[in-house]
Amino acid sequence: MKIVGISGSIIGSKTRTAMEYTIKSLIDKYPNVDVTLLDLKDYDLQFSDGRNYLEYSGDTSYVLKTIMEADAVIIGTPIFQASIPAPLKNIFDLLPEKAFLDKVVGMVVTAGSAKHFLVAEQQLKPILSYMKAQVIQTYVFIEERDFYNKEITNDDIFFRIDTLVEDTVTLIETYQTIRMEKEEEYGF
């Protein structure tokens, strides 16, 4: 089982902090799971120009192939100006339309205030649905007040991240079981 976390911004630290805790929770609870964190600020990514994702090279190729090979993706995104950041949108544009087919996708959202709570519902979930993801319906929303000195300080956030991690692994296992049963029953 392979799970990829994405820290979807090239600036700021809160999303990275949240994703580092998410990855730590995955490793602590499920040590046999292959876990990778892709922090977009660590990569020199090309802008999407409509090519097949396999035609890109360098960091862009590595990031896209890592996502495509995953059983699940947990997307960490800040909300800037009531929207997801451009580097994360570029990742979606670089990937094929069915990139998340048979993948479980969860979300960790950081924002300055509760005013941005529905951005994930109104912008991110439709993109993920279009790309055929099995979206975990509940996501973790973290406000500015939940951080202090680049650390999460709200115990409820830790609980919600741990729950997201458990839901992610449970759904991967459930979907894998369903697919195996279908293959046995229908022979494909």
Side-chain angles (χ1 to χ4, degrees):
M1 179 181 308
K2 182 174 183 177
I3 300 175
V4 172
I6 299 173
S7 183
S9 179
I10 59 171
I11 61 169
S13 62
K14 291 176 182 66
T15 300
R16 172 72 188 223
T17 298
M19 290 308 297
E20 285 174 345
Y21 180 80
T22 303
I23 297 304
K24 181 184 180 311
S25 178
L26 272 164
I27 292 169
D28 289 349
K29 292 176 183 296
Y30 305 98
N32 295 327
V33 172
D34 180 7
V35 180
T36 303
L37 177 60
L38 299 172
D39 187 341
L40 298 187
K41 75 172 82 171
D42 295 336
Y43 299 95
D44 183 20
L45 298 172
Q46 296 170 281
F47 284 104
S48 173
D49 61 14
R51 281 183 276 168
N52 183 296
Y53 81 98
L54 295 170
E55 296 175 17
Y56 289 92
S57 60
D59 286 351
T60 305
S61 175
Y62 171 76
V63 168
L64 298 176
K65 287 178 182 176
T66 301
I67 293 168
M68 290 298 289
E69 292 169 358
D71 297 302
V73 179
I74 299 177
I75 298 170
T77 183
I79 303 301
F80 297 137
Q81 302 295 341
S83 185
I84 63 174
L88 181 59
K89 178 61 169 80
N90 186 49
I91 291 294
F92 298 142
D93 292 341
L94 287 162
L95 289 166
E97 176 186 342
K98 295 180 181 177
F100 297 126
L101 182 67
D102 294 331
K103 291 185 194 330
V104 173
V105 179
M107 298 176 285
V108 176
V109 179
T110 60
S113 73
K115 293 177 189 178
H116 299 297
F117 180 76
L118 291 177
V119 172
E121 290 286 342
Q122 296 169 346
Q123 290 183 20
L124 199 48
K125 280 188 177 181
I127 293 168
L128 297 173
S129 294
Y130 174 77
M131 296 178 80
K132 312 301 184 244
Q134 297 292 330
V135 180
I136 298 172
Q137 291 307 304
T138 54
Y139 55 92
V140 179
F141 184 82
I142 311 172
E143 293 181 60
E144 177 84 26
R145 67 182 181 182
D146 298 316
F147 290 93
Y148 181 75
N149 283 338
K150 297 185 179 185
E151 296 292 329
I152 297 171
T153 57
N154 182 338
D155 287 338
D156 186 53
I157 300 300
F158 294 125
F159 173 77
R160 288 188 277 152
I161 290 173
D162 290 341
T163 301
L164 177 70
V165 162
E166 292 167 7
D167 289 350
T168 301
V169 172
T170 299
L171 284 172
I172 293 169
E173 292 171 343
T174 300
Y175 288 127
Q176 286 175 342
T177 300
I178 290 169
R179 280 192 293 277
M180 284 190 319
E181 289 173 358
K182 281 185 176 181
E183 287 172 9
E184 289 174 7
E185 183 175 342
Y186 299 108
F188 57 84

